[in-house]
Amino acid sequence: MPLRALADKAARRTGLRAEVVGGAVVLSPPPCGKHFGAAARVRRQLEKHVLDTFTVAEVSSVRALDGSDDYATPDLMVLPMAWEESDEWLADPDTVELVVEVVSQSNHSKDTTQMPAWYAAARIPLFLLVDPRDGTWVLRARPDGAGREAAYSEVVRGRFGEVVPLPEPLGFELATELPVYGEVSGTASRRGPCPGRPGAACPWLGSLLRGLRGEGWWVAGSFWLLVAGGVVDWGSPACDGARAHVRSVAGDGVAVAGCCRVVAWVRLLALLVSRRWHCGGSSAGRS
């Protein structure tokens, strides 16, 4: 059975969104409210600026450039107004100006690891990744290469609250006052056990890292201090976002240097911490 037919059958039986990425059928659960909210806020801004020339499509699909059965269904896609009059269900990647993916709590690896190369191989000019797990965004531009070796040559990273500079033909700045998983009414959740859902980010750790505005080594060192003291479970998938943030700010080598600067505090921290919190795990109570 062709992969597209298999994906359609799976979607009908499960009610989940289906895509074919890298020659495999990928099913995604319905988005949570904050996932939808982040996409909706971005969509409203895009519509305000591009409606004279383009349309902003939600959960429309774009085919792969190589003629395979692959297709992706981003949260948002900017393409010509003619799409609104099309009988096709797969957009031509040559017509797409921008795709926006909001990272989900349960299926984050696809958005963060597979889709950058996929969209670059499709020659889509701009790919904006919005990550409510740790309140960051990544704008990729200028696709190059082919297949799994494809990549974007220009990458701009930022945090929620910082504008995204969209180049021409869009040519405007996108505000990113967007919701973050685990936060209530814009305020970080009380420190404690992190959500146990697979892939859920640690909200208080993300807030801590976002709040550290000093040198890169201090951001990295603080995180590694938490790891060494047992406050954070380094191996948990729930900490993916925090680790990625540390590396994007400081780099692996600088992170090691930062760890050396604070290693002397590990023993003191172990004495002070009477309760440990583990991302994606349980919390040990006071004895």
Side-chain angles (χ1 to χ4, degrees):
M1 180 182 293
L3 284 174
R4 289 182 186 174
L6 183 61
D8 180 67
K9 184 176 181 180
R12 291 176 184 274
R13 287 191 173 185
T14 64
L16 302 179
R17 186 176 75 179
E19 300 168 280
V20 179
V21 177
V25 176
V26 179
L27 298 176
S28 301
C32 69
K34 287 185 177 179
H35 183 133
F36 170 82
R41 293 182 193 183
V42 172
R43 187 196 72 241
R44 286 193 288 268
Q45 292 183 73
L46 291 173
E47 288 176 338
K48 179 180 178 181
H49 288 89
V50 307
L51 277 185
D52 290 340
T53 308
F54 301 103
T55 189
V56 181
E58 284 189 275
V59 295
S60 287
S61 299
V62 56
R63 66 174 179 83
L65 191 62
D66 60 7
S68 67
D69 275 353
D70 269 31
Y71 69 91
T73 308
D75 289 287
L76 300 172
M77 187 163 55
V78 175
L79 64 173
M81 291 290 292
W83 177 247
E84 296 184 0
E85 302 295 329
S86 175
D87 289 323
E88 300 294 328
W89 67 278
L90 284 176
D92 188 327
D94 292 335
T95 66
V96 179
E97 296 292 340
L98 166 72
V99 292
V100 180
E101 292 277 14
V102 179
V103 178
S104 66
Q105 291 177 298
S106 59
N107 195 24
H108 57 85
S109 62
K110 176 182 75 71
D111 296 330
T112 57
T113 62
Q114 292 181 273
M115 299 317 297
W118 197 97
Y119 288 128
R123 292 293 190 274
I124 293 176
L126 297 171
F127 170 35
L128 175 60
L129 182 72
V130 175
D131 196 342
R133 296 177 303 160
D134 58 1
T136 60
W137 54 262
V138 182
L139 177 65
R140 293 178 167 88
R142 295 187 180 276
D144 189 26
R148 295 184 179 180
E149 302 302 318
Y152 286 94
S153 60
E154 293 185 6
V155 180
V156 180
R157 301 177 185 273
R159 298 183 176 90
F160 286 5
E162 300 172 348
V163 297
V164 180
L166 295 175
E168 297 293 342
L170 301 181
F172 62 91
E173 292 184 335
L174 191 70
T176 58
E177 300 298 336
L178 306 173
V180 176
Y181 299 145
E183 294 187 359
V184 180
S185 301
T187 303
S189 300
R190 181 177 58 188
R191 187 171 70 173
C194 297
R197 295 177 58 186
C202 181
W204 66 265
L205 176 59
S207 299
L208 171 64
L209 292 173
R210 290 194 300 275
L212 292 171
R213 302 293 184 179
E215 300 177 12
W217 67 263
W218 175 243
V219 177
S222 299
F223 177 73
W224 286 103
L225 176 61
L226 292 172
V227 172
V231 179
V232 173
D233 180 6
W234 164 257
S236 171
C239 290
D240 286 351
R243 291 197 299 273
H245 177 68
V246 169
R247 290 184 177 121
S248 69
V249 172
D252 290 333
V254 181
V256 174
C259 183
C260 293
R261 290 177 180 265
V262 296
V263 70
W265 293 90
V266 173
R267 290 185 179 275
L268 176 60
L269 179 66
L271 292 174
L272 294 177
V273 175
S274 59
R275 181 173 180 176
R276 296 180 177 183
W277 296 273
H278 296 274
C279 290
S282 61
S283 170
R286 297 180 184 272
S287 58

Short mmCIF file of all heavy atoms in Angstrom, two decimals, residues 269-276 284-287:
data_model
loop_
_atom_site.label_atom_id
_atom_site.label_comp_id
_atom_site.label_asym_id
_atom_site.label_seq_id
_atom_site.Cartn_x
_atom_site.Cartn_y
_atom_site.Cartn_z
N LEU A 269 25.72 22.29 47.77
CA LEU A 269 24.36 22.13 47.28
C LEU A 269 23.74 20.83 47.77
O LEU A 269 22.57 20.79 48.16
CB LEU A 269 24.36 22.14 45.74
CG LEU A 269 22.99 21.96 45.08
CD1 LEU A 269 22.09 23.15 45.39
CD2 LEU A 269 23.15 21.78 43.58
N ALA A 270 24.54 19.75 47.77
CA ALA A 270 24.04 18.46 48.22
C ALA A 270 23.58 18.52 49.67
O ALA A 270 22.63 17.84 50.07
CB ALA A 270 25.12 17.39 48.05
N LEU A 271 24.27 19.33 50.47
CA LEU A 271 23.88 19.47 51.87
C LEU A 271 22.61 20.31 52.02
O LEU A 271 21.79 20.07 52.92
CB LEU A 271 25.02 20.12 52.66
CG LEU A 271 26.30 19.29 52.83
CD1 LEU A 271 27.38 20.13 53.50
CD2 LEU A 271 26.02 18.04 53.65
N LEU A 272 22.46 21.31 51.14
CA LEU A 272 21.33 22.23 51.27
C LEU A 272 20.04 21.66 50.71
O LEU A 272 18.95 21.99 51.18
CB LEU A 272 21.66 23.56 50.57
CG LEU A 272 22.79 24.39 51.18
CD1 LEU A 272 23.05 25.62 50.33
CD2 LEU A 272 22.45 24.79 52.61
N VAL A 273 20.18 20.82 49.68
CA VAL A 273 18.98 20.31 49.03
C VAL A 273 18.39 19.16 49.84
O VAL A 273 18.99 18.10 49.93
CB VAL A 273 19.29 19.84 47.59
CG1 VAL A 273 18.06 19.19 46.97
CG2 VAL A 273 19.75 21.01 46.75
N SER A 274 17.27 19.38 50.41
CA SER A 274 16.62 18.33 51.18
C SER A 274 15.51 17.66 50.39
O SER A 274 14.91 16.69 50.84
CB SER A 274 16.04 18.90 52.48
OG SER A 274 15.10 19.91 52.21
N ARG A 275 15.21 18.23 49.25
CA ARG A 275 14.19 17.64 48.40
C ARG A 275 14.65 17.76 46.96
O ARG A 275 15.13 18.80 46.55
CB ARG A 275 12.87 18.38 48.56
CG ARG A 275 11.75 17.78 47.71
CD ARG A 275 10.43 18.44 48.04
NE ARG A 275 9.35 17.88 47.24
CZ ARG A 275 8.09 18.21 47.38
NH1 ARG A 275 7.73 19.11 48.29
NH2 ARG A 275 7.15 17.67 46.62
N ARG A 276 14.54 16.69 46.20
CA ARG A 276 15.03 16.68 44.83
C ARG A 276 13.87 16.58 43.86
O ARG A 276 12.94 15.83 44.08
CB ARG A 276 15.98 15.50 44.59
CG ARG A 276 17.24 15.60 45.45
CD ARG A 276 18.15 14.41 45.19
NE ARG A 276 19.38 14.53 45.95
CZ ARG A 276 20.37 13.66 45.88
NH1 ARG A 276 20.27 12.63 45.07
NH2 ARG A 276 21.46 13.83 46.60
N ALA A 284 11.03 13.13 45.65
CA ALA A 284 11.23 12.46 46.94
C ALA A 284 10.92 13.42 48.06
O ALA A 284 11.46 14.50 48.13
CB ALA A 284 12.68 11.99 47.03
N GLY A 285 10.05 13.02 48.93
CA GLY A 285 9.64 13.89 50.01
C GLY A 285 10.67 13.98 51.08
O GLY A 285 11.69 13.29 51.11
N ARG A 286 10.48 14.90 52.05
CA ARG A 286 11.39 15.07 53.15
C ARG A 286 11.31 13.85 54.06
O ARG A 286 10.26 13.27 54.29
CB ARG A 286 11.02 16.32 53.96
CG ARG A 286 11.15 17.60 53.16
CD ARG A 286 10.76 18.78 54.03
NE ARG A 286 10.78 20.01 53.28
CZ ARG A 286 11.86 20.77 53.15
NH1 ARG A 286 13.00 20.39 53.72
NH2 ARG A 286 11.82 21.89 52.48
N SER A 287 12.46 13.45 54.59
CA SER A 287 12.49 12.30 55.48
C SER A 287 12.12 12.71 56.89
O SER A 287 12.23 13.87 57.24
CB SER A 287 13.89 11.67 55.46
OG SER A 287 14.86 12.62 55.83
#
